Structures are given as structure tokens and as C-alpha cells.
Amino acid sequence: MASLSIDRRDRSHRNDLRAFTVGVEEEFVLIDPATGRPCLTNTTVAAAGTDSALQLELSQCQIETCTPVCASIEAVHREVRRARVTIVDAAARSGSLPLAVGVPIWGPPSGSITDTPRYQRIAEHFKALADQVTCGCHVHVCVPDRDLAVQVSNHLRRWLPALLALTANSPIAEGIDTGHASWRHTVWARWPSSGPPPYFRSAAHYDDIVAGLAEDGQILDPAMVYWDVRLSAHLPTIEIRISDVPATVVETTLLASLVRALVITSVAAIGRGHLADPITRTHLRSACRYAARNGLSSTRFPTTIAGRRDTRHALAQLLCHVRSALEESGDYEFTRDALAAVLTSGNGAVRQRSALRAGGPANVFAVLARLTVEGCDIGNSQRSR
């Protein structure tokens, strides 16, 4: 896997790019290192954390890390790595192990909902729909003008299938290959507010749609807007949520770099008066389902961006599309090399399937445990727990 190598030349002329700060949230499954079964210990693990970076999630076997606001991709890499060290340390104190995986290899018992008022309210309202465990990666990029942010969302929609194919990391559930590189995407799609966002005319249009979802009982609060791109309910950011949690720190950093560059490129296009293509949600849902099923192995890519060529061509188009923004920020070489490394070595889905063929579910756990802390400074005692 590529290591982080970012241009450290003077960037004093790039002040305008510093406004596009980034934050990353990663969700993890907590397992028993001896059995590989989920551990329902997220409250204990969160309490053992050294700072507020650890957050509870819907299932008791899930926990989330949150980076601080980062002004550069180099800082993102450092903070994601630090957050993974933090969660491994905290989990070790409760005898559990965090895995960066989109769905657990073995699911927890039914009804393992985290005991907080909000999560219990969600479980009561949505019943069996809430009885799922999925782990994603959410990238926030600062866009404080909401009308601009919804136009950025319109521009990002066409790239969602490519980002999903790149980060797919959940092919195995209940110990078997599901036939989907991202089973998480398929499971998550059951939520009524999930999937690609609508094409918005304005921030007011966005708010009207959200209000309608709430009125119809499809969401209980704005935080339940689960679109693949959404405006944050409490931060001046646009949040891209399409991805499985990537297997490694470098892959998460790669995702953050591409997303930030996409936002910067979109803002520039909007400034030139370019409107995004109004691709239908039906078309985007179909393309995302295809990406979820096939991941990096796709021999064609059913979206307008790639002309039905393969996924690798779609990702090459994505890199070309954002190259100017990456070069201006000094992140192009890292992003190019990290993308090439994933295409050569495989993403999490490719590695999980290889591990399953080689040694069954136990080998998948071992590989995921290693990838989760790849490049992190983790002591040998914690690695072997």
C-alpha cells in the first residue's frame, strides 16, 4: 500500500484552498478476538477513550471515531491514524478488538441496540429496520454557504458509484460471500432516506424535502437524512457518506483527498456558471447497486461518466477530473499513487475474499485486524490480543 508523501513546498499562494477544511468519521465493529463474534461493549469502549473522539453508534457492537477539523490531507492522514490507535487502545481495555469493515462477518444478537434515548426511539419507530449493523466512512468538507453546498451536492452525485466501488469493504456476512463487494450498501438501502440525494434547486428546496420526510415519518430528526451526500445538520459542511469504512488508514486518506478535491472542483465549476447534469435518482441508484455488487471487478460502469467502460476507467476519469485541484493543494502525487496501489493490491472487498478462500472466516478476521492498524504505531501486545 502506498505511504503518505505530500508536497511540502510553500503553499502561501494557496490561501483560498485552506477554507476547504476536512473532517473524517469512521465506524468500526467491535469483536471478541478469540471468537470473532461481535462484542456489545461500545459504551465501555467509549468511556475508556482518552478524548471525545469515540462516539456511540446504533448497535452496541459499533463505535465511531471523529477527527478534528483538518486543514490538509496530510493532517487527515495523521488524525485518522491517531484515531485508530485511540480506538484500539480503548477496545483493548474491555477485551475487544475494532475492525474496519463495512458489515460484521458474524452479526450480533437481534435487538442489540445501544441504550440511548435517541437510538431506542429509532428502534421503536423503525422496528426490524433498525436491527442492522453497517459501518461507513463520512467525509465532511467545509462549505458554509448552504445554497452553494446544494449545488456542490448536485455536482458530486455522478461520482458516487465510483467512490463506492473504490471503497467497497463488506463482501462477507454470516461467514459467507454475499456476492456483493459492498453488502453494507445493499443493507443500508433499506432506510427510507438513504441513497443518492435528489437534484436540488436551492437550499430551500433541500429543506422542503427534509421537512416532508419528517412529516411522513420517514425520519425522526435531520440527522436521519441518510442520503449519500447531505448538508450537515449542525456543521457548516457538506458530508459525503457513500463509502464503506475503508480497510486501511491510507485508503481513508485517499477517499478524503478525492472528496475534498471533488468539492473544490465543483465550487470552481459553479463559479464559472456550470450547472450539474440532472442525472435521475433511478439511474444513480442503479449505478450504485452495480458498483456495490461488482466493486473493482466491474467490466463496465453504467453511468454517464464512463460510457459503460470498466470501473478502473471511471476512477481514472475521476482522478483526471480533480487533478487541477489536487495539484494546487499539493496532493496529486499521493492521491495518484494511493489509487494505483488500491487498484494493484485490491480494496477491502478484494482482500476479504482472498482471505476467506485461503482460510475461512478466522483468516478474514486476522487480515482485517492487520489492515485496520496498518501504518499505525500499535504495540505488539495489543496486536496479539
Side-chain angles (χ1 to χ4, degrees):
M1 183 58 65
S3 59
L4 192 77
S5 176
I6 289 182
D7 185 356
R8 296 175 181 269
R9 291 173 295 182
D10 176 63
R11 301 180 188 176
S12 59
H13 63 294
R14 301 171 182 161
N15 290 332
D16 55 332
L17 296 186
R18 293 177 183 174
F20 295 95
T21 53
V22 187
V24 174
E25 301 164 349
E26 292 191 294
E27 298 165 344
F28 299 85
V29 173
L30 298 166
I31 67 162
D32 182 330
T35 66
R37 296 286 176 173
C39 284
L40 308 183
T41 55
N42 64 352
T43 55
T44 304
V45 174
T50 57
D51 53 37
S52 61
L54 304 186
Q55 306 290 330
L56 301 178
E57 274 297 326
L58 181 61
S59 171
Q60 294 178 54
C61 72
Q62 285 178 283
I63 199 159
E64 180 182 70
T65 63
C66 307
T67 71
V69 176
C70 299
S72 68
I73 296 304
E74 183 179 10
V76 169
H77 179 265
R78 181 175 62 250
E79 293 297 338
V80 169
R81 183 173 56 191
R82 183 193 63 79
R84 290 199 180 195
V85 171
T86 296
I87 194 175
V88 169
D89 287 343
R93 297 189 185 99
S94 68
S96 59
L97 180 71
L99 296 183
V101 61
V103 298
I105 307 305
W106 301 110
S110 179
S112 301
I113 304 297
T114 300
D115 190 15
T116 68
R118 179 171 182 269
Y119 288 142
Q120 290 296 320
R121 188 161 60 97
I122 290 173
E124 176 60 27
H125 184 82
F126 291 97
K127 304 299 183 181
L129 187 58
D131 204 15
Q132 60 176 268
V133 180
T134 60
C135 294
C137 178
H138 309 152
V139 180
H140 289 257
V141 182
C142 183
V143 183
D145 184 298
R146 296 180 79 252
D147 278 304
L148 176 60
V150 296
Q151 296 305 317
V152 171
S153 173
N154 291 343
H155 278 266
L156 294 180
R157 293 166 82 244
R158 69 195 293 246
W159 301 103
L160 292 172
L163 293 174
L164 176 59
L166 175 65
T167 58
N169 185 29
S170 52
I172 301 167
E174 299 306 321
I176 63 171
D177 192 326
T178 64
H180 292 71
S182 175
W183 184 240
R184 166 193 163 272
H185 179 83
T186 302
V187 172
W188 187 252
R190 295 182 296 182
W191 288 103
S193 61
S194 66
Y199 189 94
F200 301 114
R201 297 187 301 273
S202 64
H205 183 210
Y206 180 100
D207 293 338
D208 285 346
I209 294 176
V210 172
L213 290 171
E215 183 178 351
D216 294 341
Q218 304 302 300
I219 61 173
L220 300 184
D221 55 46
M224 287 196 71
V225 173
Y226 293 149
W227 293 323
D228 297 327
V229 184
R230 72 178 184 185
L231 274 60
S232 173
H234 61 283
L235 297 170
T237 65
I238 188 167
E239 181 184 2
I240 293 78
R241 312 166 44 86
I242 183 69
S243 303
D244 287 6
V245 59
T248 68
V249 170
V250 168
E251 287 172 85
T252 295
T253 309
L254 168 62
L255 172 65
S257 182
L258 288 171
V259 166
R260 180 175 185 256
L262 275 170
V263 172
I264 294 170
T265 302
S266 299
V267 169
I270 294 164
R272 296 192 299 269
H274 293 174
L275 296 178
D277 294 334
I279 305 170
T280 68
R281 293 186 80 192
T282 298
H283 183 82
L284 279 172
R285 285 183 189 277
S286 175
C288 286
R289 283 196 297 268
Y290 187 90
R293 181 173 179 84
N294 294 284
L296 293 179
S297 66
S298 169
T299 56
R300 66 180 181 87
F301 208 74
T303 71
T304 56
I305 62 171
R308 293 188 178 272
R309 299 184 185 181
D310 62 32
T311 300
R312 291 170 182 265
H313 183 269
L315 289 168
Q317 280 188 294
L318 170 56
L319 184 64
C320 182
H321 178 68
V322 298
R323 178 167 182 167
S324 178
L326 290 170
E327 288 180 336
E328 191 172 357
S329 65
D331 301 324
Y332 177 71
E333 290 186 4
F334 159 72
T335 305
R336 178 200 61 198
D337 293 347
L339 178 59
V342 173
L343 294 177
T344 299
S345 301
N347 57 12
V350 172
R351 294 186 180 197
Q352 283 191 56
R353 283 171 163 160
S354 177
L356 185 68
R357 290 192 298 269
N363 193 43
V364 178
F365 291 125
V367 168
L368 283 170
R370 176 177 56 80
L371 293 175
T372 298
V373 297
E374 188 174 80
C376 298
D377 185 16
I378 302 293
N380 289 332
S381 61
Q382 291 178 10
R383 289 179 187 274
S384 61
R385 283 177 182 263

